[in-house]
Amino acid sequence: MSVTVQHTPSAPAQAGSGRIGPGQALRDSMVVAKRNLLRMLRIPEVVVFGLVQPVMFVVLFAYVFGGSINIPGAGLDADAYRQFLMGGIFAQTVTFATAGASAGIAEDMQKGIIDRFRSLPMARGAVLTGRTFADLVQTALILVVLAVVAFLVGWRIHEGVLNALAAFGLLLLLGYAFTWIGALIGLSVRSPEAATSGGLVWLFPLTFISVAFVPSENMPSWLAPVAEWNPFSATVLAVRELFGNLPAGYQAPDVWPMQNPVLASALFSIVIIAIFRTLAVRKYKRATD
């Protein structure tokens, strides 16, 4: 007498729905991050083109606008403007990584790669966390190259190595925060093309209505408060302070983020991560249910 044992396969949709601990979730995230980093290595033009825009901004702003913009405490000094400029260029570069995150996630959704991940026994949030980690590594590499270019045009660090490392840390924290906004955008649109446009269109007003390229004192009275409370402005002023790139006579506007830029930068970035990571993971779960 034989007994036939029937095995009931578990549904793919349930594979990732089990309870997974933080350690396993981290390992899953690192696997996804490695996959995205290897993809970047196979398509190096993505990194190369990511370098072109910030380098162009450095050269154009340094030599076209240098000496034409009045810096409080330094006047129309071209060298002072180059020092003043680089904090804004660094911050703009890390925030523009948002578009890459948006397009990459939208492409994975369109090609069905997200569905394949969904069928695996892995943490749901690992797909997005791994993608944002990979984007963070790419952003760090771009910052290194950009810093070299900045040195070539006359930018210098004046406050020591530790403060410089803290400045780069704040820049990477801001960039990581903004990649979660990009992740949410990528999950909310239907194509990589729409994700790229959606990831960029709001960044231009955010970065230009700030203290990145001109002091808020030079703006209309109704616009200056918007620039001064912009989270992007807090990071720009924080890195200028930590790099020692502020003119000797510079007086920050009398508002809390400008008077406490390092603390404000860290707090703003942490709040953005907390809000948009929650929204993105929730959106991801709904998209794959």
Side-chain angles (χ1 to χ4, degrees):
M1 177 176 179
S2 61
V3 178
T4 302
V5 179
Q6 294 183 343
H7 296 279
T8 303
S10 53
Q14 296 175 341
S17 60
R19 182 169 296 177
I20 295 177
Q24 182 62 44
L26 179 60
R27 286 191 290 272
D28 292 342
S29 299
M30 292 300 101
V31 170
V32 177
K34 181 180 178 181
R35 173 251 178 191
N36 283 285
L37 288 171
L38 289 173
R39 184 172 179 271
M40 291 175 189
L41 290 175
R42 295 189 184 107
I43 314 174
E45 55 267 30
V46 173
V47 179
V48 173
F49 288 133
L51 285 168
V52 171
Q53 181 176 299
V55 170
M56 283 196 307
F57 269 104
V58 171
V59 176
L60 290 174
F61 274 84
Y63 293 107
V64 175
F65 294 99
S68 303
I69 296 178
N70 182 46
I71 304 298
L76 298 174
D77 184 283
D79 182 66
Y81 182 69
R82 281 194 288 271
Q83 306 302 314
F84 181 88
L85 169 70
M86 284 314 304
I89 296 291
F90 282 134
Q92 185 190 56
T93 299
V94 300
T95 56
F96 271 54
T98 301
S102 299
I105 290 173
E107 183 181 14
D108 286 347
M109 292 287 289
Q110 187 182 61
K111 291 182 176 179
I113 294 174
I114 297 297
D115 290 333
R116 298 176 194 172
F117 282 133
R118 181 186 174 220
S119 69
L120 300 174
M122 62 187 297
R124 289 287 183 91
V127 174
L128 301 180
T129 302
R131 172 75 208 196
T132 55
F133 279 171
D135 288 331
L136 185 65
V137 173
Q138 181 181 352
T139 300
L141 294 174
I142 291 174
L143 273 181
V144 171
V145 176
L146 189 58
V148 173
V149 175
F151 267 95
L152 295 176
V153 301
W155 173 73
R156 296 293 183 269
I157 294 171
H158 302 285
E159 292 294 330
V161 174
L162 291 180
N163 280 344
L165 291 175
F168 284 118
L170 286 177
L171 288 167
L172 292 175
L173 183 63
L174 179 72
Y176 186 67
F178 274 59
T179 56
W180 281 108
I181 301 177
L184 181 61
I185 293 171
L187 290 167
S188 303
V189 298
R190 297 182 180 181
S191 70
E193 294 79 12
T196 300
S197 299
L200 285 174
V201 68
W202 61 277
L203 282 174
F204 284 101
L206 181 85
T207 55
F208 281 95
I209 304 176
S210 71
V211 300
F213 305 109
V214 296
S216 60
E217 293 90 332
N218 294 5
M219 298 180 183
S221 58
W222 59 270
L223 191 59
V226 178
E228 290 161 0
W229 282 92
N230 183 345
F232 180 81
S233 291
T235 298
V236 171
L237 189 57
V239 299
R240 283 174 181 154
E241 185 177 290
L242 291 168
F243 286 140
N245 293 154
L246 291 171
Y250 179 79
Q251 293 293 325
D254 191 20
V255 294
W256 184 80
M258 300 291 95
Q259 291 292 320
N260 305 275
V262 175
L263 177 60
S265 172
L267 287 177
F268 281 144
S269 294
I270 290 169
V271 169
I272 291 171
I273 292 171
I275 292 173
F276 283 93
R277 187 185 189 282
T278 301
L279 293 175
V281 172
R282 189 175 298 168
K283 182 77 173 179
Y284 172 78
K285 288 179 179 179
R286 286 202 299 267
T288 55
D289 283 340

